[in-house]
Amino acid sequence: MKNPFIYYSTVITTAMGLLHSCGQQAPQFGSAPIDDVIGAMTLEEKATFLVGSERLKETPPDSPPSVTRYPMFSKELQAKLDSCKSQEEAFNLVQATSLVKGRVQGAAGQNFAIPRLGIPSFIYADGPAGLRIDPLRDDEEGEFYCTAFPIESALSASWDTDLVQRVTAAMGQEVREYGVDVLLAPAINIHRNPLCGRNFEYFSEDPLLTGRMASAYINGIQSNNVGVSLKHFAVNNQETHRNGVDAQVSMRAMREIYLRGFEIAVKESQPWTIMSSYNKINGTFASENHWLLTELLRDEWGYQGFVMTDWWAQENGARQMAAGNDLIMPGTQRQFDNIIEAVRKGELDEKVLDTNIRRMMNILSKTSTATNYKYSNQPDLKAHAQVARQAATECMVLLENRQQTLPLSEKVKRIAAFGNASYDILVGGSGSGNVNRKYKVSLEEGLQNAGIALDEALAKSYGDYVKGELAKLPQENFWTIPVIAELPLDKAQVQRAVANTDLAVVTICRMAGEGGDRKNQPGDFQLSEVETSNINLICSAAHAAGKRVVVLLNMGNIIDLTPVLACKPDAVLHVWMGGQETGNSIADVLTGKASPSGKLPMTWAKHYEDYSSANDFPFSDEAGETVQYKEGVMVGYRHFDTRAIKPLYPFGYGLSYTTFLYSDIKAHSEAGSITLTVEVRNNGQRAGREAVQFYVSAPASDGIEKPVKELKAFAKTPLLQPGESATVKVTISASDLASWDESTNGWNLAKGTYRMMAAASADDIRCATEIEL
Ligand code: BGC
């Protein structure tokens, strides 16, 4: 017998079709003008189109098939359905719909098909690090694996928009070839606090880096004729109580920090769809926020696409419609009823529904589904694995490299690899950001592929331990990818492994995912006792034996690094979660086949308490209902700079295997835009690329406290050979230098002298010039 959920859904949509099937054929979506299709829709069909296909899932599975709950059926149809002898029979009555099981299993959602009007079911699937669908189907032959690419925080560490666009062009091909219409990504909320559980899915603490990365990401995906859903709009900077927390934030902080990335992405790349966030903003749910979704997004920014809710954001359906939230996903019956009732009572103008439907249809008519694209179910996974491998190398950030420990000298033939993650590397986070990949390359495999042997006895202990512990873990599910506790080491074991090898590698990992934030506790933001003891043992044994230690950080975010640095490891490389080829990518960087050129997209503080939001995360009140963004615009480096707090590693920091000399900065202002150029020369011994950052200090402005400086442009050089130079050129629009003035509720461009700086990081200004505006 078919799944009753599907049974009910299909009954409803087709039932409405049947209702109208007598007489002449209704205008068909795809061939008739959109306004004619809308004109032919009943109120119920409109609400059906605007509320996703899962709204009937509340029905207990074992309840008898009954449609009386739904006031949309005619008596005749009700009678027909009631007279069906079995679900099977009723199912046959409605088989025209494409909702049977979902065409792409594991996709996050779809809408009801309305066959009477030729409206098919469109498919929406996650997520930022690759397409998330089920890899195997119980009723269909074949495999449907997708490529796990580097996570977003890693991608932004590349500071390379071309690279991001190459990655997402490949990702988008998978979206298209698996028959999905819209990818629910990129996610671009600001890293307000390092404990946010989804920072790995977000780009950065800085809105300009975020916005530019998002545009490149969107352009790559949409170059495949599939859409994105830019999410989560807006001010969704924590997971704790994400469905109800009220983010209380000033208009200035919103405009300059939390909305800026969205604004750039909307204006530069017109995402097909945007996902509103769960939380409240200054008392109003984002999905019910008319100012946010209509006045700002459409009227001010000129957004052309449509807005959908985040999943199960169960606010009032009628209010969501009125605010300009076009599609409710995956939909509840209550929200559907809200819409119908509000229209019937005259509280919601049906024209609002027409506008929302029109916006959706304008976009959806471009999709693969609407244009009957014959997808292959065979994207080029082999080629995409190579894209992922190369991209991950460009994202890694070299934090420490004493005495040129890296790249490894050719003398390093055998390594003692410590840390569970050396044998079970984490390649992505959990939740909707997870990707069902076919395989992952562990560090062990990656090193072996590069011709480096591992200490066998150590590899065997870890191998046995990891295998045994993994078998004991609960099954991975949407919300959690369980991670095993770190294997405790003893001194003799460490000394033996160190003596038998040329160098030690220690991998420290952290998992994270939506639905929860991280904690400033041992084993999470802090090292666990076992990790602290292990790293102490390893560093002392290795240094006593005259050998070096390389620490790899395998995570989407950051941890408290103080106890690690206290052991004086010789090199520290942030390898992020680099996707399914992570092990090979790490080996490429360790051996020098690739030169690390990533730089931090966030500030790495010495102490958690140094972050400006530390006292207001996740809540500002005892009841746990509100979070006050008291720090205003002083987020990340803006705060560290302005309050003169020295971070451990500044925003934009990252070493290379070579060094770069900056010179000859020039600024030229014309017709509202400023062109900056700087010469960058590779003055070191190896080839490399440099991420060049341009910060601007604005003149003082009455009543507006400005950050000491702000990132206003960036660019990455091509690969420069030793001695080679490049002229790096960027353009800044003068309007990008304005601050939001709360007193006039508008942008204010202060007159005076602006200092323009070319920098290797927020704390490493290499040359500067001034300009009068
Ligand atoms: C997440 C979204 C995601 C959606 C669909 C929600 O829980 O917040 O980012 O796209 O689920 O899986």
Side-chain angles (χ1 to χ4, degrees):
M1 181 158 294
K2 297 285 175 187
N3 178 342
F5 291 156
I6 293 156
Y7 164 74
Y8 292 130
S9 336
T10 41
V11 164
I12 277 208
T13 44
T14 307
M16 289 189 299
L18 292 176
L19 263 175
H20 298 273
S21 60
C22 39
Q24 74 197 80
Q25 210 209 12
Q28 298 293 292
F29 173 76
S31 52
I34 284 175
D35 278 340
D36 292 359
V37 180
I38 298 174
M41 290 173 105
T42 63
L43 173 60
E44 290 76 10
E45 282 171 332
K46 288 178 184 174
T48 295
F49 188 65
L50 295 164
V51 179
S53 73
E54 305 229 352
R55 69 180 151 89
L56 303 181
K57 273 205 173 173
E58 303 154 339
T59 311
D62 51 358
S63 67
S66 157
V67 288
T68 47
R69 291 167 60 216
Y70 312 111
M72 71 200 56
F73 297 104
S74 69
K75 286 206 176 99
E76 277 160 270
L77 180 62
Q78 178 74 67
K80 264 194 193 170
L81 290 168
D82 284 349
S83 68
C84 289
K85 303 243 169 356
S86 63
Q87 286 197 11
E88 217 55 39
E89 195 184 322
F91 183 81
N92 288 336
L93 192 69
V94 294
Q95 67 184 354
T97 176
S98 57
L99 265 175
V100 182
K101 267 217 150 161
R103 184 158 51 78
V104 183
Q105 287 174 32
Q110 54 196 329
N111 60 289
F112 280 118
I114 306 181
R116 183 180 85 83
L117 299 164
I119 298 174
S121 182
F122 300 95
I123 310 282
Y124 305 85
D126 288 308
L131 177 64
R132 185 175 69 89
I133 57 174
D134 289 348
L136 300 173
R137 298 176 186 169
D138 46 15
D139 56 358
E140 198 177 334
E141 292 284 301
E143 293 184 337
F144 307 86
Y145 287 100
C146 299
T147 307
F149 293 95
I151 55 167
E152 276 190 22
S153 53
L155 286 178
S156 68
S158 75
W159 294 70
D160 184 350
T161 49
D162 292 342
L163 176 98
V164 173
Q165 196 162 331
R166 275 204 303 282
V167 166
T168 55
M171 198 187 287
Q173 200 236 357
E174 299 188 15
V175 177
R176 180 137 167 104
E177 291 308 321
Y178 279 132
V180 170
D181 296 304
V182 172
L183 182 78
L184 304 172
I188 70 160
N189 298 91
I190 291 290
H191 293 197
R192 172 176 179 251
N193 184 289
L195 300 182
C196 171
R198 287 186 96 167
N199 278 358
F200 77 97
E201 287 187 77
Y202 302 151
F203 287 118
S204 171
E205 71 184 22
D206 180 80
L208 177 87
L209 183 58
T210 296
R212 290 274 146 79
M213 288 288 150
S215 299
Y217 188 114
I218 295 166
N219 290 338
I221 298 286
Q222 293 191 170
S223 67
N224 289 280
N225 279 321
V226 292
V228 299
S229 195
L230 180 67
K231 65 191 188 183
H232 309 89
F233 191 53
V235 203
N236 177 186
N237 308 99
Q238 65 189 59
E239 288 299 285
T240 310
H241 193 28
R242 66 179 182 177
N243 289 74
V245 70
D246 185 9
Q248 299 183 349
V249 54
S250 71
M251 184 55 83
R252 178 173 175 213
M254 272 205 276
R255 292 281 189 163
E256 292 186 25
I257 307 286
Y258 298 101
L259 298 174
R260 186 83 182 104
F262 287 98
E263 181 180 0
I264 295 171
V266 164
K267 290 183 175 167
E268 288 184 1
S269 54
Q270 280 292 342
W272 286 15
T273 85
I274 290 182
M275 189 187 291
S276 54
S277 58
Y278 291 119
N279 51 290
K280 289 181 190 164
I281 304 168
N282 297 327
T284 308
F285 281 107
S287 65
E288 295 183 357
N289 197 319
H290 188 267
W291 172 77
L292 184 73
L293 304 183
T294 298
E295 289 153 57
L296 180 82
L297 180 63
R298 266 110 178 192
D299 302 348
E300 196 181 315
W301 294 350
Y303 180 55
Q304 303 292 319
F306 71 88
V307 176
M308 68 179 81
T309 60
D310 198 348
W311 264 231
W312 311 107
Q314 296 188 32
E315 275 54 71
N316 182 288
R319 284 204 297 266
Q320 289 172 317
M321 289 297 128
N325 192 114
D326 310 291
L327 174 64
I328 296 176
M329 285 303 277
T332 65
Q333 184 61 29
R334 191 175 47 74
Q335 287 162 303
F336 177 89
D337 293 342
N338 293 154
I339 297 172
I340 302 270
E341 269 168 42
V343 173
R344 289 210 172 123
K345 286 188 185 155
E347 292 162 3
L348 177 68
D349 190 339
E350 198 170 333
K351 288 206 184 81
V352 169
L353 304 187
D354 297 348
T355 304
N356 296 5
I357 294 171
R358 193 174 301 112
R359 284 195 290 239
M360 283 178 62
M361 286 188 173
N362 274 333
I363 293 291
L364 292 172
S365 56
K366 303 193 277 191
T367 56
S368 304
T369 297
T371 54
N372 282 317
Y373 177 69
K374 299 278 168 285
Y375 53 94
S376 63
N377 275 332
Q378 284 176 334
D380 194 348
L381 297 180
K382 265 209 168 130
H384 299 173
Q386 289 317 304
V387 174
R389 176 175 178 166
Q390 194 249 337
T393 66
E394 299 272 339
C395 302
M396 290 181 197
V397 182
L398 185 61
L399 298 169
E400 302 284 341
N401 196 17
R402 289 183 234 289
Q403 297 170 322
Q404 294 177 339
T405 297
L406 294 179
L408 298 176
S409 104
E410 280 175 6
K411 288 190 202 131
V412 175
K413 299 267 186 258
R414 184 184 301 277
I415 282 181
F418 296 96
N420 298 345
S422 292
Y423 303 87
D424 184 29
I425 201 98
L426 305 182
V427 303
S430 60
S432 51
N434 190 12
V435 180
N436 295 309
R437 58 191 190 253
K438 173 104 193 194
Y439 65 87
K440 65 174 178 181
V441 179
S442 70
L443 177 62
E444 184 184 18
E445 284 171 71
L447 289 172
Q448 281 160 357
N449 292 343
I452 295 178
L454 295 188
D455 179 79
E456 284 174 11
L458 188 65
K460 179 155 184 352
S461 314
Y462 269 108
D464 291 347
Y465 173 77
V466 167
K467 205 164 148 211
E469 293 300 300
L470 281 177
K472 290 186 218 155
L473 287 180
Q475 272 276 310
E476 178 175 318
N477 61 39
F478 177 82
W479 298 105
T480 335
I481 298 182
V483 175
I484 58 178
E486 193 57 47
L487 171 71
L489 299 168
D490 67 60
K491 198 169 171 187
Q493 179 189 21
V494 173
Q495 282 174 334
R496 190 212 51 74
V498 163
N500 188 38
T501 50
D502 308 311
L503 177 127
V505 165
V506 192
T507 311
I508 301 173
C509 73
R510 289 292 182 272
M511 179 46 77
E514 71 176 278
D517 289 313
R518 301 171 61 209
K519 301 260 175 333
N520 182 13
Q521 284 172 3
D524 199 339
F525 190 70
Q526 302 165 21
L527 285 199
S528 70
E529 258 182 53
V530 173
E531 286 171 327
T532 311
S533 148
N534 285 356
I535 188 131
N536 271 298
L537 282 176
I538 298 161
C539 287
S540 342
H543 291 154
K547 297 189 180 162
R548 297 194 184 172
V549 179
V550 176
V551 173
L552 304 177
L553 302 173
N554 173 210
M555 55 195 70
N557 199 348
I558 60 176
I559 50 169
D560 177 2
L561 213 55
T562 327
V564 175
L565 297 182
C567 303
K568 302 214 173 344
D570 302 276
V572 181
L573 182 67
H574 198 324
V575 303
W576 308 99
M577 293 161 146
Q580 65 188 43
E581 289 281 330
T582 294
N584 281 332
S585 311
I586 298 174
D588 288 344
V589 170
L590 293 182
T591 57
K593 190 171 158 198
S595 177
S597 58
K599 293 191 175 184
L600 292 174
M602 74 280 272
T603 306
W604 203 312
K606 287 186 181 154
H607 313 284
Y608 171 74
E609 294 69 28
D610 291 345
Y611 290 99
S612 55
S613 58
N615 294 329
D616 288 283
F617 186 91
F619 298 120
S620 302
D621 60 338
E622 298 254 314
E625 292 299 329
T626 59
V627 49
Q628 290 172 15
Y629 287 39
K630 291 182 195 147
E631 67 282 1
V633 298
M634 300 297 174
V635 179
Y637 67 89
R638 288 167 167 81
H639 159 76
F640 284 81
D641 260 11
T642 310
R643 311 280 179 247
I645 303 169
K646 197 96 192 110
L648 184 59
Y649 302 117
F651 173 78
Y653 168 87
L655 302 170
S656 162
Y657 292 161
T658 188
T659 49
F660 297 93
L661 196 72
Y662 291 48
S663 63
D664 210 12
I665 186 169
K666 289 198 184 94
H668 174 72
S669 158
E670 200 179 308
S673 76
I674 301 142
T675 304
L676 286 164
T677 54
V678 68
E679 296 300 311
V680 177
R681 191 168 138 246
N682 179 347
N683 66 343
Q685 304 301 314
R686 303 181 66 98
R689 300 182 66 196
E690 174 74 339
V692 181
Q693 301 149 49
F694 294 89
Y695 295 89
V696 176
S697 291
S701 165
D702 281 351
I704 304 181
E705 190 198 12
K706 303 249 191 180
V708 163
K709 63 179 182 296
E710 295 181 277
L711 183 77
K712 293 295 174 188
F714 62 91
K716 195 149 178 185
T717 66
L719 188 73
L720 296 177
Q721 298 301 326
E724 206 181 339
S725 299
T727 305
V728 175
K729 181 173 170 187
V730 295
T731 309
I732 302 170
S733 154
S735 58
D736 291 343
L737 303 178
S739 297
W740 187 260
D741 188 341
E742 303 262 349
S743 66
T744 59
N745 213 23
W747 291 103
N748 174 331
L749 181 64
K751 286 205 182 81
T753 309
Y754 285 76
R755 191 172 157 75
M756 313 261 156
M757 295 158 268
S761 82
D763 276 4
D764 188 3
I765 309 300
R766 297 296 183 85
C767 44
T769 182
E770 287 182 349
I771 200 162
E772 287 294 316
L773 286 181

